[in-house]
Amino acid sequence: MAEYFTARGLPVPAELRRSPLTDWRRLSALAPILLVLYVGLRITDIDTTRANPSYAAEVLRKLVSFDWSVLGPQNEFETFWDGALGLMIVTIFLGIMGTAFAMVVAIPFSFLGARNIMAGNPITNAIYVVVRLVFTIIRSIDVLIVVIIMVIVFGLGNAAGVFGLAFHNVGVMGKLYSEAIEGIDAGPLEAITATGANRFQVVWTAVLPQLFNPFVSFSIYRLDTNVRLAPILGLVGGGGIGVALFQNIQLLRYPQAGTIILLIVITVAAMDFISAQIRRRLV
């Protein structure tokens, strides 16, 4: 290809002049990556000698031998809400309530964590730094760790799951909301500020009208994520269908566990499709 340009006396584009010799700097960047991967393999010491493919195949066969009776009550002492369908509904609302509680806290604090709202004063700048630091700290604590702590406070059950999700999402949603506020059009903000309006008036008239769609989109996205995450909380006692799933796995009741997993997959896929459609109409 380079000969085409050379024969006509035209300069050869840089992309066509590349070769392993001229791209040595780019290729040298692979060296530290390969080194890190090698050290990682040595440190993690991945051992596959104890793998049992035949047993794994047998378990997978049992998982797909669905036992539909697990969807309802298992005995006369249980109600609809003790079956997998009822627990799945509880899990969905566990994610909804966790998201709602997080929004109540994250939305007002997100304005304190937006640089364009808090700039111009040493005190407000300090508040901005503190709020963003708090968001970062909360976000860095994994939700399972938070739920374990909430189990100590509230005991086993849905309360630990709801408040654990809510606490973790205050950090995540607070950051998303703050960045949405920082990304608004600065023109109306500057115009309203030039009239002598205070911060509350600026936020009410120039900021909030631009934030409805981003806030709704981010909230739906986090709701979808929380519903997907909620079943895992049952592993540490956070309530919902996850408790039944892990109990059945521990009791080696794989057909029942497989049915619950299928129910979770269908529910999460439906929630993902619905939330994607809503976000697409908002953007």
Side-chain angles (χ1 to χ4, degrees):
M1 192 67 182
E3 291 77 6
Y4 173 86
F5 293 91
T6 305
R8 290 162 176 78
L10 300 174
V12 180
E15 292 79 4
L16 299 180
R17 293 198 304 267
R18 288 178 179 172
S19 68
L21 294 178
T22 57
D23 281 356
W24 65 270
R25 292 181 180 176
R26 181 175 300 179
L27 294 175
S28 64
L30 293 175
I33 296 175
L34 294 174
L35 178 62
V36 169
L37 292 176
Y38 173 76
V39 173
L41 287 174
R42 299 290 296 178
I43 291 176
T44 54
D45 190 23
I46 300 174
D47 182 13
T48 60
T49 58
R50 290 176 290 181
N52 191 340
S54 60
Y55 177 73
E58 178 64 19
V59 170
L60 289 175
R61 186 190 65 79
K62 292 180 179 179
L63 284 173
V64 297
S65 300
F66 303 116
D67 182 0
W68 304 108
S69 65
V70 76
L71 298 178
Q74 299 298 293
N75 53 61
E76 65 272 16
F77 301 105
E78 293 185 352
T79 65
F80 168 79
W81 298 106
D82 298 309
L85 280 176
L87 289 173
M88 191 69 247
I89 296 174
V90 171
T91 303
I92 293 173
F93 279 95
L94 191 151
I96 292 173
M97 297 308 298
T99 306
F101 289 161
M103 289 174 61
V104 170
V105 178
I107 288 178
F109 277 95
S110 65
F111 289 93
L112 301 179
R115 182 182 285 107
N116 55 343
I117 302 295
M118 305 301 289
N121 186 298
I123 296 177
T124 57
N125 282 331
I127 294 174
Y128 160 79
V129 172
V130 170
V131 171
R132 292 302 286 261
L133 179 62
V134 170
F135 285 162
T136 301
I137 294 173
I138 293 175
R139 199 171 63 253
S140 66
I141 305 174
D142 188 80
V143 65
L144 288 180
I145 298 175
V146 178
V147 173
I148 291 173
I149 297 173
M150 293 300 173
V151 166
I152 298 173
V153 176
F154 298 103
L156 297 171
N158 297 330
V162 169
F163 289 112
L165 273 178
F167 180 85
H168 178 74
N169 278 275
V170 166
V172 177
M173 299 174 75
K175 180 178 182 294
L176 292 174
Y177 292 155
S178 295
E179 291 180 349
I181 296 170
E182 291 177 349
I184 62 174
D185 183 7
L189 195 68
E190 296 171 353
I192 299 298
T193 303
T195 64
N198 58 38
R199 290 184 184 274
F200 177 79
Q201 292 171 327
V202 170
V203 170
W204 184 262
T205 57
V207 177
L208 289 181
Q210 302 185 57
L211 293 178
F212 177 78
N213 284 357
F215 273 26
V216 172
S217 179
F218 286 141
S219 301
I220 294 174
Y221 167 73
R222 286 308 303 175
L223 172 61
D224 177 46
T225 303
N226 290 335
V227 171
R228 188 184 303 112
L229 182 63
I232 307 300
L233 304 183
L235 175 64
V236 292
I241 199 171
V243 176
L245 172 61
F246 291 110
Q247 283 179 348
N248 280 287
I249 291 176
Q250 290 171 345
L251 294 173
L252 306 182
R253 300 175 61 187
Y254 294 119
Q256 292 85 347
T259 306
I260 294 174
I261 292 172
L262 178 64
L263 180 61
I264 293 173
V265 170
I266 293 174
T267 303
V268 170
M271 292 287 295
D272 182 69
F273 174 78
I274 294 171
S275 63
Q277 295 301 311
I278 295 175
R279 290 199 305 270
R280 185 172 61 84
R281 284 168 171 76
L282 288 175
V283 176

